[in-house]
Amino acid sequence: MEPPNLYPVKLYVYDLSKGLARRLSPIMLGKQLEGIWHTSIVVHKDEFFFGSGGISSCPPGGTLLGPPDSVVDVGSTEVTEEIFLEYLSSLGESLFRNEVAQFLTGRKIPSYITDLPSEVLSTPFGQALRPLLDSIQIQPPGGSSVGRPNGQS
């Protein structure tokens, strides 16, 4: 029996605040935040992310956020592109954030990244940032939506 193909899986991590959280959080929150993280998964030569249009993909580093602030090696997967795309079309946002890395590699995204949004958004500082965060466009022109057409579920 042939060994299965292994595809590398990477987590691209972006600081949506572009360094502002790091500078302002000690004053605004009384504690240090390194960033306000947006993450995407890079696998099968594409970057997959959750944006205003749902789950989308583009070439790695091709979102409007520019190059990632850091790249985390999550491991590798035997999941083929076909199975992965089928799986993605069945997911919503909250599941997407936490489950994609686990689905592909069996490993979760580090909690310092996934726990941050709720932690920050529950503060007055977070509430003030919310409209800004909600308005950030990530999807590049020509990026493609993954999943059901016309947003039908």
Side-chain angles (χ1 to χ4, degrees):
M1 209 171 110
E2 276 188 41
N5 284 333
L6 283 180
Y7 309 97
V9 180
K10 300 216 177 315
L11 185 71
Y12 278 23
V13 183
Y14 301 88
D15 176 11
L16 294 180
S17 76
K18 300 282 186 205
L20 276 179
R22 194 178 296 121
R23 292 211 305 279
L24 296 178
S25 59
I27 307 155
M28 305 291 291
L29 290 175
K31 65 177 177 180
Q32 181 71 53
L33 285 183
E34 290 308 313
I36 297 193
W37 307 120
H38 163 78
T39 56
S40 55
I41 290 275
V42 176
V43 65
H44 298 300
K45 301 188 174 62
D46 268 321
E47 178 171 357
F48 295 89
F49 56 92
F50 198 95
S52 53
I55 298 170
S56 304
S57 68
C58 67
T63 72
L64 295 181
L65 298 173
D69 290 282
S70 64
V71 174
V72 180
D73 199 340
V74 192
S76 51
T77 185
E78 298 174 12
V79 176
T80 64
E81 186 166 19
E82 195 181 11
I83 292 172
F84 181 56
L85 292 175
E86 206 169 284
Y87 163 78
L88 279 186
S89 68
S90 69
L91 285 184
E93 175 181 12
S94 56
L95 287 172
F96 177 79
R97 292 219 171 98
N98 298 313
E99 310 233 337
V100 172
Q102 198 166 5
F103 172 76
L104 289 168
T105 66
R107 284 157 62 186
K108 285 189 163 154
I109 291 174
S111 62
Y112 76 87
I113 292 173
T114 56
D115 292 350
L116 188 84
S118 51
E119 196 184 315
V120 173
L121 290 172
S122 63
T123 65
F125 177 52
Q127 293 300 318
L129 280 177
R130 181 133 221 172
L132 166 76
L133 297 177
D134 287 344
S135 73
I136 291 174
Q137 292 296 315
I138 296 164
Q139 184 158 349
S144 52
S145 286
V146 175
R148 302 184 178 88
N150 309 328
Q152 290 167 351
S153 50

